[in-house]
């Protein structure tokens, strides 16, 4: 009957655990069972972090480029300063014959036996310009050895002179080599359409003409060494000289080479004055 204990000797059947007992067995800690955590990522937070990383990378890249430009600029300025210090005014920058920069005025015009006595034809040629086999200038005898005409003009130049002549519309460059004792001098006369073009060369002067050798028993001179140079504007012409020892040595500090270049420069300047 209900409410009475079971009869003695009757088998005992295990009672089914109540729901709250099952929970207690599975989660042996007091209180309600733990809440399951969600592991789905916070997409907005990840997007914000990614955007912040991109901004930092762009900023660092910009700063790196800016620093690089500043460093390169400083390096270039330093190289320019060192180049100016290491390259004296009477030394070459870089040219086939490594000669000193030309003087923009040349030497004084000759007088006496060195003065030209003839007049050049209107259309000047190398044959007319270098017609005399020998010249007596200032008590020095100059024997003509080789002549040539270069067209385009830049073919017989170095150290940037070719660009200067081309930009000024040089039509031809006539060269002649003279010997005086142990000194060799190449005279070059560049021809232009007008005085304005010739003056462009005078104002932007740099580089030099190449010495003329290799034929008529003229050995190499003023090649890969510093030599004495001059340049002078006369009308629609520009006169150049490059002078040095016949031995092939340097001529930039050689008094004979310096004076020989100036004497021939002055002579041909006067000759062009008569025929210009």
């Amino acid at each position: 009957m209900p409410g009475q204990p079971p009869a003695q000797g009757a088998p005992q059947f295990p009672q089914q655990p109540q729901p709250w007992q099952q929970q207690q067995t599975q989660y042996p800690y007091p209180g309600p069972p733990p809440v399951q955590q969600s592991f789905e990522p916070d997409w907005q937070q990840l997007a914000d972090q990614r955007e912040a990383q991109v901004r930092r990378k762009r900023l660092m890249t910009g700063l790196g480029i800016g620093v690089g430009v500043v460093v390169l600029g400083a390096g270039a300025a330093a190289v320019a300063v060192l180049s100016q210090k290491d390259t004296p005014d009477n030394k070459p920058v870089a040219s086939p014959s490594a000669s000193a920069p030309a003087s923009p005025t040349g030497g004084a015009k000759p007088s006496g036996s060195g003065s030209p006595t003839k007049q050049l034809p209107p259309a000047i040629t190398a044959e007319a310009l270098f017609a005399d086999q020998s010249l007596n200038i200032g008590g020095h005898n100059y024997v003509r050895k080789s002549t040539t005409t270069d067209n385009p003009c830049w073919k017989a130049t170095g150290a940037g002179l070719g660009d200067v002549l081309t930009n000024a519309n040089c039509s031809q460059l006539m060269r002649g080599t003279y010997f005086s004792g142990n000194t060799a001098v190449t005279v070059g006369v560049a021809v232009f359409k007008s005085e304005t073009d010739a003056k462009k060369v005078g104002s932007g002067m740099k580089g030099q003409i190449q010495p003329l050798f290799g034929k008529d028993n003229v050995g190499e001179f003023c090649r890969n060494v510093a030599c004495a140079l001059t340049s002078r504007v006369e009308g629609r012409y520009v006169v150049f000289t490059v002078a040095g020892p016949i031995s092939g040595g340097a001529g930039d500090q050689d008094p004979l080479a310096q004076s020989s270049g100036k004497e021939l420069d002055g002579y041909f300047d006067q000759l062009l004055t008569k025929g210009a």
Side-chain angles (χ1 to χ4, degrees):
M1 294 186 65
Q4 291 183 356
Q8 223 173 17
Q12 299 291 326
F13 296 97
Q15 295 182 352
Q16 295 294 326
Q18 298 299 319
W20 65 270
Q21 291 177 331
Q22 292 178 351
Q23 292 292 333
Q24 185 175 12
T25 302
Q26 186 174 359
Y27 301 102
Y29 304 100
V35 179
Q36 295 294 326
Q37 298 292 330
S38 175
F39 290 95
E40 182 175 350
D42 188 338
W43 298 109
Q44 182 61 43
Q45 182 179 3
L46 291 176
D48 294 341
Q49 291 177 353
R50 175 61 178 171
E51 184 176 355
Q53 290 176 354
V54 171
R55 285 198 301 268
R56 284 197 299 271
K57 184 176 181 181
R58 288 177 179 172
L59 178 60
M60 294 304 295
T61 301
L63 290 175
I65 293 175
V67 172
V69 171
V70 171
V71 171
L72 288 175
V79 170
V81 171
L82 290 175
S83 297
Q84 292 176 356
K85 290 182 178 180
D86 293 340
T87 306
D89 290 340
N90 62 341
K91 295 292 183 183
V93 177
S95 67
S97 60
S99 301
S103 163
T105 57
K109 294 187 178 182
S111 59
S113 61
S115 299
T117 57
K118 63 180 181 180
Q119 185 169 347
L120 292 172
I124 299 177
T125 63
E127 289 75 16
L129 187 65
F130 305 117
D132 293 331
Q133 183 69 35
S134 64
L135 300 172
N136 192 327
I137 306 172
H140 302 116
N141 187 50
Y142 294 93
V143 179
R144 190 201 68 215
K145 291 292 185 178
S146 297
T147 65
T148 191
T149 300
D150 302 290
N151 191 354
C153 303
W154 58 263
K155 286 186 175 181
T157 65
L161 178 59
D163 290 337
V164 176
L165 297 183
T166 300
N167 293 335
N169 303 311
C170 177
S171 60
Q172 62 178 337
L173 175 61
M174 298 171 285
R175 290 181 297 158
T177 293
Y178 292 82
F179 280 6
S180 178
N182 294 320
T183 301
V185 184
T186 292
V187 179
V189 175
V191 183
F192 301 87
K193 295 179 180 179
S194 66
E195 290 187 32
T196 302
D197 289 336
K199 288 179 180 178
K200 288 181 183 178
V201 177
S203 61
M205 183 64 64
K206 64 178 179 178
Q208 64 175 77
I209 62 169
Q210 293 181 358
L212 177 60
F213 54 75
K215 62 177 184 178
D216 302 319
N217 296 322
V218 179
E220 289 188 3
F221 69 98
C222 288
R223 182 178 177 84
N224 299 323
V225 294
C227 277
L229 307 177
T230 68
S231 66
R232 180 200 300 271
V233 177
E234 180 57 58
R236 63 187 186 96
Y237 307 98
V238 180
V239 183
F240 304 92
T241 67
V242 52
I246 293 176
S247 63
D252 61 330
Q253 302 297 323
D254 186 333
L256 290 177
Q258 292 176 345
S259 62
S260 296
K262 291 178 180 179
E263 285 181 345
L264 284 171
D265 166 87
Y267 175 87
F268 281 94
D269 173 72
Q270 251 192 9
L271 182 61
L272 290 167
T273 302
K274 291 178 177 291

